[in-house]
Amino acid sequence: MVRDEIPRYSVDLHFMIRPGIGYLHISGFQETTDQEVSKALDAMGGDLNGLILDLRQNPGGLLSEGVGVADKFLRKGR
C-alpha cells in the first residue's frame, strides 16, 4: 500500500447559470482558495454581470484566504 496525498479543493462548483450570471460555491477557506476563485472566475469569462457566491455549509478557515477572496469583489477600504 502506498500513501498518497488526496487534494481537496475549496471551490467545488463553478458554472454559468445564464449568460452574464455565474455561480461559485466555496466549501471552506483553505491555503489555495484565493487562487481557486481566480481560476474559476477566469474560466467563466470576463463578461460577468452578476455572481452568486454560495458559502452555505462553509465552516470558515484561514482569515488570509477569506480576505483574498473578498478583495476580488470589494473596493479598497471597504
Side-chain angles (χ1 to χ4, degrees):
M1 184 178 292
V2 177
R3 185 175 229 162
D4 197 6
E5 185 175 322
I6 300 171
R8 185 167 172 224
Y9 301 107
S10 54
V11 176
D12 52 358
L13 284 173
H14 68 280
F15 55 88
M16 296 298 286
I17 293 174
R18 63 177 194 216
I21 306 295
Y23 174 88
L24 182 77
H25 181 256
I26 300 175
S27 62
F29 292 99
Q30 303 166 17
E31 292 87 7
T32 59
T33 303
D34 187 22
Q35 296 169 350
E36 290 179 45
V37 169
S38 293
K39 288 180 185 177
L41 291 173
D42 290 343
M44 285 191 265
D47 52 343
L48 281 176
N49 297 323
L51 179 69
I52 297 171
L53 185 59
D54 189 353
L55 299 174
R56 290 178 294 173
Q57 299 181 355
N58 180 327
L62 298 174
L63 177 62
S64 60
E65 294 299 309
V67 170
V69 170
D71 281 346
K72 294 182 183 337
F73 304 106
L74 301 174
R75 283 182 257 139
K76 188 172 177 117
R78 294 277 176 170

